[in-house]
């Protein structure tokens, strides 16, 4: 058993030793060529010895991209085999064992020839062996090593059993059973090695996962990230991608009960962006004499023309009510290895990225992304469209940064963009309150009632910039919270700075107001609310559980409304209607004519109706209602562009001209395009690798067959 454990120890030590040497020898690249040799992109190379990663992360990124784990495992298997060959020694025949050990050394050297410990050690890969093996996938090298060492181990085991020990050496009887057991355990040794290979590939990489808190760039140098990085992924609402927009929708500017352009002011008398009610239907169809709206196909949108700001006392419409917007929770979502085909989109948190178009001139090509929210808010007006280019690294390059919408691409072509990682923001929660209990300056000992609860100012320390709040419920202390100090330079975006000012207990909420000043004449500037409630991303809308809530956020931390999305499929027969959340509006189907919607309308809770939205060629009840930033701008712009693209395509087909411009590169189409399949010929090295794999499999099969016949 000692020998068996020794072989496992050799495997583990050689594998970990290679990883340790790789880390110790790693040097930050001095040139772009050095960076590219070990897996980095031009956009990640800042200057000599500088990458967009710190050293440990840079090593791990290179180690992963260059598939060095396979080299480490190959060396571990080769070392274990050499150890076994030397240990079985004379029982298998000295010459045979020595030859096997040399073969294990050759396998180890072959693996090293295609390794990439660091740019300064790339000379290891030079020479005939390196050239021959350069085209081999490293997983194939590891698999070949496993099969060849397994074959060798089975062969040496059989030889060890068949060949008697020389007469000059009398085996010690006390060890004969142990030796036999060790020989019998050899196949299991390599089974364990294979299991370790699989476990290494499948094990969670959390311990070595990239720390995106150091990779993402803050709003300004020296500042912390304003929002925490999400630890869980929450699915966005259905049909969030660009391809899921409404198809030839009916447009309704508004109804009296679905008001547009409501003017509001915050607690300081400052006019805030106007508010709009929006209703959107998408992916509807006629089926078996009914109109079907799929789950997620209908949503109400609190649509605003500008960012809504917490801690300012800003009113926000919620189905006709006007609660106060108090606070929010936002996180940064990072996804790795994201591919966006030309014309397609990907959702990251609450952000939607669309690979919109390629603009080329001769050999130069710029690849444009459109960035939207899950509701359709278009950030082009605020941030512009990120443009990536592999041919112009000094201009756009492969990395973009729009506050906390950021990304690093490793492949940019007219067919697709592949990101190493890409981030977006997600508005996780909105905190609102229906009733204001108090707003103003309060001194120590002041208190207010809310039902059976008392909110009290326990202490004020103006010099420290803090105030202590207590909540007493049924005569018992339920909450003690110290608010402050105020960090104006970080507000309102910074999570920690904002949360230091806010307290919550049940449906009671309040905060130390930074404006116009937090303390005056020994008193604290407080705002206290009750009947507070939350709108949580992806959770039920409490007053009407048929709908789920999805707040919509901006990378700056401002809110851009919220969606109420139907959770279940809606089916309407002629003469039937569906009530929206809390009956706020109604979708009514009046008449079908075969597979066409001859008559339908939308109405508000007051009974005000739109005109007939059906017709002889209407095949759905897709709808855009409202005049807000989404309904009145972004969605219509998308639909209009699609119509223009269809017109151009029809003209091109009629004239027989090619739709693509003669730019030297094929533009990425606006609509979804299927990337052409790329096939590559088999290199001599790859053919040799496959041949060796077949040979190893045949050898293992032969040895196993002999054992069974014996």
């Amino acid at each position: 058993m000692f020998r068996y454990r020794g072989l496992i120890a050799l495997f583990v030590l050689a594998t970990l030793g290679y990883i340790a040497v790789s880390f110790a020898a790693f040097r930050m690249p001095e040139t772009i060529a050095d960076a590219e040799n070990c897996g980095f992109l031009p956009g990640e190379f800042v200057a000599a010895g500088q990458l967009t990663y710190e050293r440990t992360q840079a090593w791990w990124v290179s180690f992963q991209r260059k598939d060095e784990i396979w080299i480490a495992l190959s060396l571990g298997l080769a070392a274990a085999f050499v150890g076994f060959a030397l240990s079985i020694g004379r029982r298998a025949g000295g010459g045979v064992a020595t030859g096997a050990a040399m073969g294990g050394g050759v396998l180890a050297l072959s693996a090293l020839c295609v390794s990439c410990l660091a740019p300064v050690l790339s000379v290891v890969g030079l020479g005939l062996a390196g050239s021959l093996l350069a085209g081999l996938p490293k997983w194939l090298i590891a698999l070949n090593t496993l099969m060849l060492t397994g074959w060798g181990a089975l062969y040496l085991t059989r030889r060890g059993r068949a060949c008697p020990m020389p007469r000059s050496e009398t085996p010690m009887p006390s060890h004969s059973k142990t030796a036999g057991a060790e020989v019998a355990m050899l196949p299991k040794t390599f089974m364990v090695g294979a299991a370790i290979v699989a476990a290494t590939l499948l094990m969670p990489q959390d311990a070595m996962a990239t720390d995106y808190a150091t990779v993402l760039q803050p709003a300004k140098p020296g500042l912390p990230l304003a929002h925490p990085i999400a630890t869980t992924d929450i699915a966005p609402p259905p049909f969030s991608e660009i391809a899921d927009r409404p198809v030839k929708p009916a447009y309704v500017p508004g109804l009296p009960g679905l008001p547009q352009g409501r003017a509001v002011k915050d607690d300081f008398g400052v006019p805030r962006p106007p508010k709009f009610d929006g209703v959107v239907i998408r992916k509807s169809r006629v089926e078996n004499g009914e109109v079907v709206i799929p789950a997620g196909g209908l949503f109400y949108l609190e649509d605003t023309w500008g960012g809504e700001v917490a801690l300012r006392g800003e009113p926000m419409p919620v189905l006709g009510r006007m609660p106060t917007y108090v606070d929010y929770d936002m996180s940064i979502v990072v996804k790795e290895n994201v591919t966006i085909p030309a014309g397609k989109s990907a959702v990251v948190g609450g952000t939607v990225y669309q690979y919109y178009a390629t603009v080329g001139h001769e050999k130069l090509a710029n690849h444009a992304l459109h960035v939207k929210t899950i509701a359709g808010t278009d950030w082009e007006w605020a941030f512009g469209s990120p443009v990536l280019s592999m041919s112009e690294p000094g201009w756009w390059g492969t990395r973009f940064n729009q506050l906390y919408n950021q990304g690093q691409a490793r492949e940019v072509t007219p067919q697709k963009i592949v990101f190493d990682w890409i981030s977006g923001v997600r508005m996780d929660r909105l905190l609102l309150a229906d009733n204001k209990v108090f707003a103003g300056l309060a001194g120590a000992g002041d208190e207010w009632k809310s039902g059976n609860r008392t909110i009290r100012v326990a202490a004020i320390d103006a010099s420290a910039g803090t105030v202590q709040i207590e909540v007493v419920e049924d005569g018992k202390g339920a909450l003690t919270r110290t608010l402050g100090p105020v960090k104006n330079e970080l507000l309102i975006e910074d999570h920690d700075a904002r949360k230091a000012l806010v307290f919550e207990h049940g449906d009671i909420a309040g905060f130390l107001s930074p404006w116009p000043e937090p303390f005056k004449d020994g008193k604290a500037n407080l705002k206290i609310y009750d009947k507070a409630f939350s709108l949580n991303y992806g959770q039920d809308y409490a007053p009407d559980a048929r709908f789920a809530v999805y707040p919509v956020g901006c990378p700056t931390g401002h809110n851009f409304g919220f969606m109420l999305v139907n959770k279940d499929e809606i089916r309407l027969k002629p003469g039937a209607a569906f009530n929206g959340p809390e009956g706020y509006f109604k979708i009514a189907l009046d008449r079908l004519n075969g597979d066409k919607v001859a008559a339908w309308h939308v109405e508000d809770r007051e009974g005000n109706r739109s005109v007939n939205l059906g017709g002889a060629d209407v095949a759905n009840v897709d709808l855009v209602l409202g005049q807000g930033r989404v309904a009145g701008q972004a969605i219509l712009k998308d639909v209009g562009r699609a119509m223009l693209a269809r017109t151009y395509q029809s003209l091109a087909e009629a004239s027989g001209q090619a739709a693509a411009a003669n730019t030297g590169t094929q533009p990425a189409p606006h609509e979804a395009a299927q990337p052409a399949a790329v096939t590559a010929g088999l290199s001599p090295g790859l053919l040799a690798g496959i041949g060796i794999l077949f040979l190893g499999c045949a050898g293992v099969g032969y040895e196993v067959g002999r054992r069974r016949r014996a």
Side-chain angles (χ1 to χ4, degrees), residues 54-67:
E54 53 89 20
R55 183 185 180 279
T56 300
Q57 292 171 329
W59 165 77
W60 181 240
V61 168
S62 175
F63 195 84
Q64 288 180 306
R65 290 181 184 173
K66 300 299 290 185
D67 292 330

Side-chain angles (χ1 to χ4, degrees), residues 17 22 74 130 197 201 237 354 393 424 498 520 550 561 659 691 705 707:
S22 172
S74 298
V197 172
L201 298 175
Q354 180 193 14
R498 194 179 64 258
K520 184 177 181 180
Y550 295 90
R707 283 170 173 265

Side-chain angles (χ1 to χ4, degrees), residues 93-251:
V96 172
T98 302
M102 292 179 63
V106 170
L107 291 176
L109 181 61
S110 299
L112 282 174
C113 281
V114 293
S115 67
C116 184
L117 294 178
V120 295
L121 297 183
S122 59
V123 69
V124 175
L126 298 178
L128 178 61
S131 300
L132 180 63
L133 298 175
L136 261 69
K138 292 180 180 178
W139 63 264
L140 181 58
I141 293 175
L143 184 58
N144 280 341
T145 303
L146 176 64
M147 298 308 299
L148 292 176
T149 53
W151 179 15
L154 292 171
Y155 174 75
L156 291 176
T157 302
R158 177 168 57 84
R159 289 274 306 196
R161 288 176 174 175
C163 296
M165 293 289 289
R167 292 183 181 180
S168 60
E169 294 187 16
T170 303
M172 297 180 64
S174 60
H175 295 290
S176 60
K177 292 183 179 180
T178 302
E182 291 173 354
V183 171
M185 289 293 289
L186 221 347
K188 295 182 180 179
T189 301
F190 288 94
M191 293 289 288
V192 170
I196 293 175
V197 172
T200 302
L201 298 175
L202 296 176
M203 72 171 57
Q205 298 295 329
D206 293 343
M208 295 296 294
T210 301
D211 180 9
Y212 285 101
T214 62
V215 174
L216 293 168
Q217 298 178 11
K220 293 181 180 179
L223 292 183
L225 296 181
H227 321 300
I229 296 176
T231 57
T232 58
D233 192 22
I234 305 175
F239 311 126
S240 293
E241 296 194 23
I242 301 302
D244 300 321
R245 59 194 159 203
V247 177
K248 295 182 179 179
Y251 180 64

Side-chain angles (χ1 to χ4, degrees), residues 571-578 586-590 601:
R571 286 186 171 267
L572 293 175
K573 293 182 179 296
F578 175 79
K586 182 184 295 183
I587 305 298
L589 175 61
D590 300 313
H601 68 274

Side-chain angles (χ1 to χ4, degrees), residues 160-354:
R161 288 176 174 175
C163 296
M165 293 289 289
R167 292 183 181 180
S168 60
E169 294 187 16
T170 303
M172 297 180 64
S174 60
H175 295 290
S176 60
K177 292 183 179 180
T178 302
E182 291 173 354
V183 171
M185 289 293 289
L186 221 347
K188 295 182 180 179
T189 301
F190 288 94
M191 293 289 288
V192 170
I196 293 175
V197 172
T200 302
L201 298 175
L202 296 176
M203 72 171 57
Q205 298 295 329
D206 293 343
M208 295 296 294
T210 301
D211 180 9
Y212 285 101
T214 62
V215 174
L216 293 168
Q217 298 178 11
K220 293 181 180 179
L223 292 183
L225 296 181
H227 321 300
I229 296 176
T231 57
T232 58
D233 192 22
I234 305 175
F239 311 126
S240 293
E241 296 194 23
I242 301 302
D244 300 321
R245 59 194 159 203
V247 177
K248 295 182 179 179
Y251 180 64
V252 177
L255 291 170
L258 295 167
Q260 307 297 308
R262 277 179 285 196
V264 300
K265 295 182 179 180
D266 62 21
D267 285 347
F268 305 96
V270 177
R272 298 301 302 150
K275 315 297 183 183
F276 301 79
D277 280 334
V279 180
V280 176
I281 302 176
R282 53 205 172 172
K283 292 294 183 179
S284 63
R285 66 186 187 276
V286 177
E287 179 181 283
N288 300 326
E290 296 178 313
V291 164
V292 179
I293 303 174
L298 177 149
F299 67 86
Y300 164 82
L301 176 65
E302 189 269 302
D303 200 355
T304 176
W305 266 95
E308 297 165 330
V309 182
L311 307 185
R312 298 279 304 181
E314 180 171 350
M316 182 186 297
V318 178
L319 302 177
R321 328 196 296 276
M322 295 294 287
T324 299
Y325 176 32
V326 179
D327 191 23
Y328 69 94
D329 292 323
M330 175 175 277
S331 57
I332 304 170
V333 178
V334 182
K335 289 190 175 182
E336 297 178 328
N337 300 314
V338 175
T339 298
I340 309 179
K344 293 282 192 177
S345 56
V347 184
V348 182
T351 305
V352 182
Y353 293 99
Q354 180 193 14

